[in-house]
């Protein structure tokens, strides 16, 4: 195992644990993958994140083959297919956060009720139609919902967030859940006002340099740390 491969495995373990700590999933639900060479690394099936170790992470090729004592996540198909279809995607986070999953249970997409919808890449976060977990049908439904988008909901299931790397994918998952929570509360308060598509597309352009960054020195020369979900300066 190369040093790079080892670092990626450690990152997958770290993100898997942070998904639970951030309340985006519970138990053994949810899974994580990252592009690695000509294939990808994915979390194994049924191992609680707190028990995960780098050697538990399963390496797969794009044909779905693996050589590991542990089985990969049952959702490996949509991880593989997203990474194969989207060369700009380097990582995929799948989780079952409460508010995003509640809208997915209702089969509802998220409209442009806040400018942060631009993180999805367009004026909606679509909800893919239901298909049984772990199936090729679910993968195809997810790919369709992700067309022109970086994230989506899965009907009666959960959500998917993608990114060029694991940190960005996790950040996006956090922001999607926050947006879903805000929309749920707004529906209780009254009738949400939806931004028009032109405004969202302008914000999408502005957001091309938006998101989590490495720690940068501020004007005093000190480093200012960032975290998933933090607003860049």
């Amino acid at each position: 195992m190369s040093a790079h491969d080892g670092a990626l495995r450690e990152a997958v373990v770290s993100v898997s644990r942070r998904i639970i700590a951030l309340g985006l999933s519970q138990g053994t639900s949810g899974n994580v993958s990252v592009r690695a060479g000509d294939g990808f690394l994915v979390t194994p099936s049924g191992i609680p994140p707190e028990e995960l170790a780098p050697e538990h992470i399963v390496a797969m090729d794009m044909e779905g083959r693996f050589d590991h004592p542990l089985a990969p996540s049952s959702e490996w198909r949509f991880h593989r297919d997203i990474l194969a279809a989207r060369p700009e995607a380097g990582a995929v986070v799948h989780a079952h956060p409460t508010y995003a999953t509640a809208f997915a249970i209702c089969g509802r997409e998220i409209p442009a009720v806040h400018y942060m919808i631009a993180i999805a890449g367009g004026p909606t976060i679509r909800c893919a139609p239901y298909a049984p977990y772990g199936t090729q049908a679910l993968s195809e439904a997810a790919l369709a919902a992700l067309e022109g988008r970086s994230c989506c909901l899965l009907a009666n299931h959960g959500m998917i967030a993608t990114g060029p790397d694991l940190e960005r994918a996790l950040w996006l998952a956090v922001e999607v859940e926050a947006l879903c929570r805000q929309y749920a509360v707004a529906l209780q308060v009254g009738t949400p006002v939806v931004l028009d598509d032109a405004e969202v597309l302008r914000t999408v352009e502005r957001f091309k340099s938006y998101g989590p960054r490495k720690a940068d020195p501020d004007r005093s020369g000190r480093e200012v740390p960032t975290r998933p979900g933090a607003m860049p300066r």
Side-chain angles (χ1 to χ4, degrees):
M1 182 171 62
S2 68
H4 178 65
D5 188 56
L8 285 177
R9 288 171 178 271
E10 290 177 359
V12 170
V13 170
S14 174
V15 167
S16 297
R17 291 175 178 168
R18 288 161 68 191
I19 286 172
I20 300 297
L22 290 164
L24 297 178
S25 273
Q26 51 286 318
T28 59
S29 67
N31 30 76
V32 177
S33 69
V34 65
R35 193 185 299 278
D38 294 330
F40 62 103
L41 299 171
V42 65
T43 45
S45 177
I47 307 295
E50 66 271 17
E51 297 179 15
L52 273 181
E55 60 268 24
H56 296 148
I57 305 306
V58 181
M60 302 188 73
D61 66 19
M62 290 301 183
E63 299 299 321
R65 296 174 298 212
F66 66 97
D67 180 15
H68 196 285
L70 295 176
S73 165
S74 60
E75 304 290 17
W76 67 264
R77 288 175 179 82
F78 70 59
H79 286 272
R80 185 269 311 272
D81 292 349
I82 291 169
L83 293 172
R86 306 285 290 269
E88 76 279 10
V92 178
V93 167
H94 168 54
H96 300 170
T98 299
Y99 287 89
T101 302
F103 282 109
I105 287 170
C106 296
R108 293 179 62 168
E109 70 177 17
I110 308 304
V113 291
H114 192 289
Y115 72 82
M116 282 297 291
I117 196 76
I119 60 174
T124 59
I125 297 174
R126 301 189 188 103
C127 183
Y130 178 78
Y133 79 90
T135 62
Q136 189 60 38
L138 177 60
S139 179
E140 291 169 5
L143 283 176
L146 285 167
E147 183 67 31
R149 301 288 191 273
S150 56
C151 54
C152 71
L153 306 183
L154 303 175
N156 304 92
H157 188 155
M159 58 89 73
I160 293 174
T162 69
D165 52 40
L166 283 165
E167 195 71 19
R168 181 81 183 198
L170 178 60
W171 170 80
L172 180 57
V174 170
E175 293 295 343
V176 169
E177 175 64 354
L179 184 58
C180 289
R181 184 170 64 250
Q182 291 159 357
Y183 183 37
V185 173
L187 287 169
Q188 296 177 59
V189 172
T191 302
V193 175
V194 178
L195 299 172
D196 63 52
D197 288 0
E199 175 59 25
V200 173
L201 293 177
R202 284 192 291 269
T203 308
V204 168
E205 287 299 311
R206 296 176 66 190
F207 269 25
K208 288 183 176 179
S209 61
Y210 187 95
R213 302 173 184 168
K214 298 288 187 181
D216 293 318
D218 65 14
R219 293 179 183 176
S220 67
R222 297 173 299 176
E223 287 198 337
V224 180
T226 59
R227 53 179 174 77
M231 300 286 279
R233 291 171 179 258

